[in-house]
Amino acid sequence: MNIQESIIAGIQLAFQNIYNHEVAVDQLSLAPTRKEFEGTYTFVVFPYLKVSQTTPEATANQIGEYLKANVTEVAGFNVVKGFLNLELNELIWLNVFKGLYANPDLGQLPSNGQKVMVEYSSPNTNKPLHLGHLRNNFLGYSVAEILKANGYDVTKANLVNDRGIHICKSMVAYQHWGNGETPESANLKGDHLAGKYYVIFDKEYKKQIEALKAEGNSEEEAKKNAPLLLEAQEMLRKWEANDAEVVSLWKQMNSWVYAGFAKTYEKMGVNFDKFYYESDTYLLGKDIVEEGLQKGVFFKKENGSVWVDLTDEGLDEKLVLRGDGTSVYITQDMGTADLKYNDFKLNKSVYVVGNEQDYHFDVLFKIMRKLGRSYGDGLYHLSYGMVDLPSGKMKSREGTVVDADDLMEEMINTAAHHTKELGKIDGFNEEQAAELYETLGLGALKYFLLKVDPKKRMLFNPQESIEFQGNTGPFIQYSHARIKSILRKAEQIGVDFKNPDFSAISKIEESESSLIFLLSDFTKKIKIAADEYSPSVIAQYLFDLAKEYNRFYADLPIFHESNSSILAFRVALSALTAATIKRGMSLLGIHVPERM
């Protein structure tokens, strides 16, 4: 039983013994005491005044006196109106620290027997990844790691959009203007090569629209009848008919794109356990439509189209199959949901997709529940907001969106410039310095994108993200490197902090107990982050922890301590802080440097 559980059990007994009233443990909770008051935990008594039949102050005092007399962890208390602030026995924190320090599974909960899939990235094979994909990939990877830390058996999945009219547009443009160009001959990553021809298609298509309008066609007619678009539509028909020449070009161009994506994913530091491809899944779901008709979940209209009525769910009627028997997106998504479940027998399935698809996933999940799918209640849309950049900060290669490769490279260059300016690479050779710049640049980018609640639209400021002060990745990374430097010095002077003797310690300082309190909160924060599918919980925790460590270090200069037991304890406390920062940052997909 941890400190909080012990105190809550004591409060439960206080209600029984003082007021002869039973309160369930899950109805009792503690909050951290606000900094301006003495204490560690606060119990708010206002909800229980009907039970105590007295004033808030009297209720708080009565419970406080009971806890002080009966719960060893509580050394004292103070009351501010209806807030009971509990002051803990300071040596209790030494026992808490011992438990944390001896735990080989820091930040890892035991298996809960639940299987979950986190699907993220979902790129199109007609263009490279962009800034929005960075938030998507970092979110998906981090949520998967956080769920793993909570004991889930996690599969990271990527559903690749590798077919359709947009892919055919790149292919048509390549046929017209490619002249046999390859990534090697163009000295371009394969995804950028495909993107180049998608941009060319768009430019030439617009020219044809203008030419047709000049001949007297309306804009709508011109858009529909432009020869390039008709070619792309014909190519899609041929692809669906398995035309050998079209399929061969499709495979060739997609293989270039996948090679390009692989390099980008490696740089991002994300990975996948399972790839699904739309070319394999786009025909799925038609049997589910038939099942839905038989169950009365779907209905047919006169033109043969199939619909679901979701008005009882607060939505409207939704098309699930066209009158000509062809699929819509929801058709294949129903089929893919079944496929994923059949492959992995999932308890939860998390879709990391931007908030422009909120309605689509609301409809999909309601349909799967109406169909009685056992996994229906475990479907979750991790909806996230757009990322904006300060105007003019970075130009994209394509001129319309900010390219992920460009942005990552820019961040590494910014980190190099900033780090050299601050003189934080003394004693580094060229290779070590390059590795540090990448660690800091990508750490700054990931942390800045993950520290904001996923649901919020956000502004990414590259310059602000790289600062070594404030709520940034480099501040936390630098704090870790600083602690590692302390540990190296401790080893050099022979401090035995791996097996310290705590018997001579008779007092715990306030800044030590505050740091231990935060360290003891790590597991709770991991649970909250998983429940909320929000890496921002971990990011904020790590910022608070790094700040608290810096306060502790300023209050108690470690190597000024003459008592060897206290010195070893403070170094051990530093070591646990570094390990917690490293583990927490790994949940965000961020590396931490050993030295700076």
Side-chain angles (χ1 to χ4, degrees):
M1 188 182 291
N2 63 31
I3 291 176
Q4 288 191 59
E5 289 167 344
S6 180
I7 295 171
I8 285 172
I11 294 170
Q12 188 183 38
L13 287 171
F15 276 104
Q16 282 177 5
N17 292 316
I18 302 169
Y19 309 117
N20 195 27
H21 185 85
E22 192 80 41
V23 181
V25 167
D26 60 9
Q27 292 181 319
L28 299 169
S29 64
L30 297 171
T33 302
R34 285 167 56 177
K35 290 285 184 191
E36 59 265 37
F37 302 115
E38 287 293 313
T40 302
Y41 294 114
T42 296
F43 179 63
V44 183
V45 303
F46 294 112
Y48 310 98
L49 298 182
K50 283 184 181 175
V51 172
S52 67
Q53 297 289 302
T54 185
T55 64
E57 290 86 348
T59 305
N61 275 296
Q62 287 165 352
I63 295 172
E65 289 292 354
Y66 181 89
L67 295 176
K68 187 178 173 183
N70 294 281
V71 177
T72 55
E73 288 87 349
V74 178
F77 66 92
N78 64 83
V79 173
V80 181
K81 297 182 179 175
F83 297 89
L84 170 59
N85 301 319
L86 300 170
E87 298 155 24
L88 302 194
N89 176 344
E90 62 182 33
L91 286 180
I92 288 294
W93 290 114
L94 190 57
N95 291 330
V96 171
F97 173 74
K98 285 178 189 174
L100 294 170
Y101 201 56
N103 180 10
D105 298 317
L106 177 71
Q108 179 59 56
L109 280 72
S111 169
N112 61 18
Q114 300 262 302
K115 292 185 175 183
V116 60
M117 177 177 284
V118 182
E119 180 196 298
Y120 61 99
S121 200
S122 305
N124 295 321
T125 59
N126 63 315
K127 55 189 175 183
L129 304 176
H130 54 68
L131 175 58
H133 285 114
L134 287 175
R135 191 176 198 190
N136 179 299
N137 279 275
F138 296 157
L139 265 176
Y141 179 87
S142 181
V143 165
E145 292 300 308
I146 289 165
L147 290 169
K148 273 188 200 173
N150 274 272
Y152 288 92
D153 177 1
V154 177
T155 301
K156 298 171 185 169
N158 188 346
L159 175 60
V160 182
N161 302 303
D162 66 336
R163 65 163 289 280
I165 192 69
H166 51 293
I167 310 295
C168 290
K169 288 176 180 179
S170 293
M171 291 163 62
V172 164
Y174 181 80
Q175 280 185 327
H176 280 283
W177 297 285
N179 297 316
E181 189 174 41
T182 66
E184 291 74 25
S185 69
N187 196 27
L188 272 179
K189 279 173 78 248
D191 50 335
H192 290 298
L193 187 68
K196 169 184 167 181
Y197 287 100
Y198 188 65
V199 170
I200 288 171
F201 179 95
D202 190 56
K203 197 188 299 178
E204 297 299 326
Y205 173 51
K206 282 173 179 166
K207 283 184 193 170
Q208 290 185 351
I209 290 169
E210 291 308 312
L212 287 169
K213 280 163 66 179
E215 290 171 12
N217 290 276
S218 69
E219 175 133 5
E220 194 178 340
E221 286 172 335
K223 282 181 175 177
K224 278 184 185 173
N225 297 319
L228 269 179
L229 180 65
L230 297 177
E231 264 190 80
Q233 289 169 340
E234 176 58 23
M235 181 175 276
L236 181 58
R237 279 190 286 274
K238 285 183 173 179
W239 181 88
E240 290 184 357
N242 207 26
D243 178 89
E245 188 183 338
V246 169
V247 169
S248 174
L249 176 62
W250 172 75
K251 284 181 176 175
Q252 177 66 77
M253 290 186 73
N254 273 356
S255 73
W256 292 339
V257 172
Y258 296 143
F261 284 169
K263 287 180 183 172
T264 306
Y265 288 139
E266 186 180 3
K267 183 75 115 184
M268 283 183 189
V270 304
N271 54 33
F272 304 92
D273 305 305
K274 175 71 177 176
F275 283 87
Y276 290 103
Y277 298 91
E278 196 178 318
S279 54
D280 296 328
T281 64
Y282 81 105
L283 294 176
L284 295 177
K286 292 187 180 182
D287 52 341
I288 298 176
V289 172
E290 193 54 46
E291 175 196 338
L293 284 168
Q294 287 172 12
K295 286 182 173 177
V297 173
F298 301 152
F299 66 93
K300 245 182 194 170
K301 291 195 174 179
E302 285 178 11
N303 63 1
S305 60
V306 181
W307 296 70
V308 61
D309 184 355
L310 296 172
T311 50
D312 60 333
E313 303 265 12
L315 299 176
D316 50 11
E317 292 181 349
K318 178 72 180 174
L319 176 71
V320 295
L321 195 71
R322 293 190 187 98
D324 61 5
T326 56
S327 300
V328 287
Y329 271 116
I330 206 90
T331 326
Q332 72 185 60
D333 281 354
M334 291 188 300
T336 306
D338 264 8
L339 176 65
K340 286 157 71 171
Y341 178 74
N342 292 333
D343 283 348
F344 293 97
K345 298 296 179 282
L346 304 167
N347 302 97
K348 289 177 185 281
S349 192
V350 181
Y351 296 75
V352 184
V353 182
N355 56 14
E356 69 277 6
Q357 294 294 328
D358 284 354
Y359 174 76
H360 175 82
F361 284 105
D362 195 14
V363 169
L364 174 66
F365 298 167
K366 282 179 166 67
I367 288 174
M368 301 320 284
R369 286 164 195 151
K370 272 184 176 289
L371 289 167
R373 290 300 187 263
S374 61
Y375 60 81
D377 288 337
L379 298 172
Y380 182 79
H381 175 206
L382 177 47
S383 170
Y384 63 90
M386 295 277 289
V387 185
D388 300 310
L389 277 166
S391 59
K393 280 281 180 186
M394 293 187 189
K395 300 277 188 264
S396 82
R397 184 184 282 112
E398 311 301 349
T400 51
V401 293
V402 178
D403 179 87
D405 292 317
D406 287 351
L407 182 51
M408 287 192 288
E409 202 55 48
E410 185 73 28
M411 287 303 302
I412 293 165
N413 292 337
T414 304
H417 175 73
H418 201 59
T419 311
K420 285 173 191 168
E421 236 179 22
L422 294 171
K424 292 191 183 293
I425 52 161
D426 295 342
F428 280 62
N429 63 34
E430 202 172 307
E431 192 180 323
Q432 290 167 333
E435 187 182 333
L436 179 65
Y437 303 148
E438 184 162 319
T439 298
L440 292 173
L442 295 180
L445 176 61
K446 289 183 186 184
Y447 186 85
F448 207 94
L449 292 180
L450 291 174
K451 74 176 182 178
V452 177
D453 184 300
K455 296 176 189 67
K456 292 180 180 171
R457 187 171 185 141
M458 66 172 294
L459 180 73
F460 172 63
N461 187 325
Q463 199 56 50
E464 185 186 329
S465 75
I466 206 76
E467 293 295 333
F468 285 91
Q469 294 300 322
N471 191 1
T472 67
F475 168 68
I476 298 165
Q477 289 173 314
Y478 180 58
S479 298
H480 178 269
R482 185 185 193 186
I483 301 172
K484 295 300 279 188
S485 169
I486 290 164
L487 301 184
R488 285 192 294 272
K489 182 175 177 180
E491 284 180 336
Q492 285 165 8
I493 64 174
V495 179
D496 183 11
F497 62 89
K498 290 178 181 169
N499 301 289
D501 175 16
F502 297 124
S503 60
I505 297 174
S506 58
K507 180 175 170 55
I508 295 288
E509 300 293 342
E510 185 276 330
S511 55
E512 291 169 333
S513 63
S514 291
L515 185 54
I516 296 168
F517 169 66
L518 255 185
L519 289 165
S520 71
D521 236 12
F522 186 37
T523 300
K524 189 172 100 179
K525 295 298 183 185
I526 290 174
K527 287 177 181 171
I528 293 169
D531 290 344
E532 297 180 1
Y533 300 97
S534 181
S536 63
V537 172
I538 301 293
Q540 183 62 49
Y541 169 78
L542 292 170
F543 176 54
D544 292 341
L545 182 61
K547 274 194 308 183
E548 196 61 45
Y549 180 82
N550 287 329
R551 183 174 80 90
F552 152 78
Y553 187 74
D555 286 353
L556 304 167
I558 289 171
F559 296 110
H560 291 181
E561 179 54 57
S562 56
N563 182 309
S564 59
S565 289
I566 296 173
L567 173 61
F569 164 62
R570 288 177 184 163
V571 175
L573 184 52
S574 301
L576 180 61
T577 305
T580 305
I581 288 174
K582 184 173 186 175
R583 173 65 175 141
M585 290 290 260
S586 77
L587 296 179
L588 303 179
I590 298 173
H591 296 298
V592 285
E594 293 291 303
R595 65 190 183 99
M596 282 174 70

